[in-house]
Each structure stands twice: as C-alpha cells, then as structure tokens.
Amino acid sequence: MNEPNNGAAKRLYRIRNGRVVAGVAAGLAAYFGVDPTLVRLAFALLTVFGGLGALLYLVAWVIIPDEVDGTSIADNMINKRRS
C-alpha cells in the first residue's frame, strides 16, 4: 500500500479499490498510511459516542475528491449550478 512518493505531492482521494461505502475510510487510510479498518473503527466509535462520526463521514464524502475523476460531490454540484 505504501508506494514511493517520487517527489509528487501526497493527495487525499476517495479510493475505489477496497471501498466499503464511499471510499472515505480507505482514502484516509492510504493518505495517512494506516489500516482502513482502524479508520472505519474510529468513525464507528465517534458515531456511537456522540454521533459525530456519521456527520464527519458525510462531510468527507462530499468534499474529498474521487480518485478516478479527481472531483468531489461538492465540485460537481457547484459546476452543475454554473451550467
């Protein structure tokens, strides 16, 4: 999973390979170099203890770009309104 950076800036994306729901946890895990299960567990714990995890996950889903097209749901909504 950890690939050499080759001088390129590290980018955060919603990952398609290994995604369970929207790729947010897999993308965060790849970005920070941790196991996706730990990120999913953190979201679950934050949801159970205060409800913040679900909200954070939804916000991340909207603002983190997809790895394939490089655009986020928010970008798509803004561009659709401009058209």
Side-chain angles (χ1 to χ4, degrees), residues 4-31:
N5 200 347
N6 295 334
K10 190 167 32 169
R11 301 283 312 248
L12 176 60
Y13 291 107
R14 287 183 293 117
I15 304 294
R16 292 205 175 186
N17 186 19
R19 75 170 36 172
V20 173
V21 177
V24 172
L28 286 169
Y31 184 80

Side-chain angles (χ1 to χ4, degrees), residues 27-67:
L28 286 169
Y31 184 80
F32 291 111
V34 297
D35 189 322
T37 305
L38 295 175
V39 178
R40 291 181 185 111
L41 181 60
F43 277 120
L45 290 174
L46 286 172
T47 299
V48 170
F49 297 108
L52 190 59
L55 178 63
L56 289 174
Y57 192 92
L58 289 173
V59 169
W61 189 359
V62 170
I63 63 172
I64 297 174
D66 186 73
E67 74 174 330

